[in-house]
Amino acid sequence: MKLERVLPFARALLQQAVAEGDIAVDATIGNGHDTLFLSQLVGENGRVYGFDVQESAVLATREKLEEHQLVHRVTLFQKGHEHVMNSLPPVHHGRIAGAVFNLGYLPGGDKTIVTRPRTTISAIDQLISMLKPEGIIVLVIYHGHREGAVERDYLLRYVKDLDQNDVHVLEYKFLNQQNNPPFIIAIEKR
């Protein structure tokens, strides 16, 4: 297949935005895959900040980072992503090169604990203000469950109203796949 699948495309966007020495945010660390990826992109002189409300996600991510000897590049917070602005040092405000969200619930975890539109939109608003020019926020939206469909609808309305003079917004999805496949919304600061 020549068309890039959703998750590799999300990583390709992040790879274009985040380089050695940059600041990045994983707003939903889950099992730590994106946190690990971002920690490799930022290199020795960069920093990754990760957020999740679930202790199991923080522990799994820390373990994954320790396995790869990259834990020193990452600060993990067991709190919601809506606390991003108050959690990052002010010196990093305006310097974030990339941020990623995997919305929905933790794979293999408690499916009653899900991301919510109000806190996700709050985090996106904060991150837009904290991005450097051409910084990118990548939202991977899993909408195959009731709460995911609600969050999808709120997010689509929200991003359509973002000022095109401030950000570019891209939607990337496959239109003819069954079972509500995930899709991407990418936001790039101008």
Side-chain angles (χ1 to χ4, degrees):
M1 185 163 123
K2 301 275 189 224
L3 294 174
E4 202 156 13
R5 295 191 183 280
V6 168
L7 295 179
F9 185 68
R11 289 207 168 175
L13 290 171
L14 291 167
Q15 204 163 14
Q16 289 176 28
V18 180
E20 169 78 32
D22 277 337
I23 308 302
V25 173
D26 187 346
T28 53
I29 61 175
N31 289 312
H33 302 294
D34 287 332
T35 311
L36 175 63
F37 178 70
L38 290 170
S39 71
Q40 293 165 334
L41 292 179
V42 301
E44 282 299 320
N45 298 314
R47 193 88 195 142
V48 177
Y49 295 95
F51 293 82
D52 208 295
V53 296
Q54 296 183 72
E55 181 182 22
S56 62
V58 173
L59 294 173
T61 300
R62 186 176 318 281
E63 185 176 311
K64 184 175 291 299
L65 293 166
E66 286 171 354
E67 286 173 22
H68 291 85
Q69 299 178 343
L70 294 172
V71 73
H72 63 283
R73 297 181 185 180
V74 179
T75 301
L76 299 174
F77 297 100
Q78 186 182 335
K79 59 172 84 170
H81 45 232
E82 70 273 20
H83 300 287
V84 65
M85 186 169 284
N86 293 329
S87 300
L88 271 64
V91 69
H92 290 157
H93 295 198
R95 293 190 50 219
I96 296 173
V100 63
F101 291 72
N102 279 281
L103 300 174
Y105 53 81
L106 175 64
D110 182 347
K111 293 181 180 179
T112 64
I113 302 172
V114 296
T115 55
R116 304 278 181 198
R118 182 183 55 79
T119 57
T120 298
I121 290 170
S122 173
I124 295 167
D125 273 340
Q126 293 172 52
L127 283 165
I128 288 171
S129 73
M130 297 169 68
L131 286 176
K132 68 182 192 176
E134 297 186 347
I136 290 180
I137 300 170
V138 177
L139 307 165
V140 182
I141 301 174
Y142 293 87
H143 58 110
H145 55 100
R146 190 177 68 75
E147 295 87 356
V150 169
E151 188 169 39
R152 172 201 63 212
D153 294 345
Y154 273 90
L155 285 170
L156 287 172
R157 283 193 299 273
Y158 163 77
V159 298
K160 286 177 182 174
D161 287 338
L162 290 173
D163 189 332
Q164 68 179 2
N165 295 307
D166 297 330
V167 294
H168 301 288
V169 179
L170 166 81
E171 183 177 6
Y172 185 83
K173 65 182 179 180
F174 290 93
L175 298 174
N176 65 339
Q177 292 182 354
Q178 297 177 351
N179 301 320
N180 301 308
F183 68 97
I184 291 174
I185 294 173
I187 303 167
E188 179 185 30
K189 189 165 187 175
R190 292 186 66 149

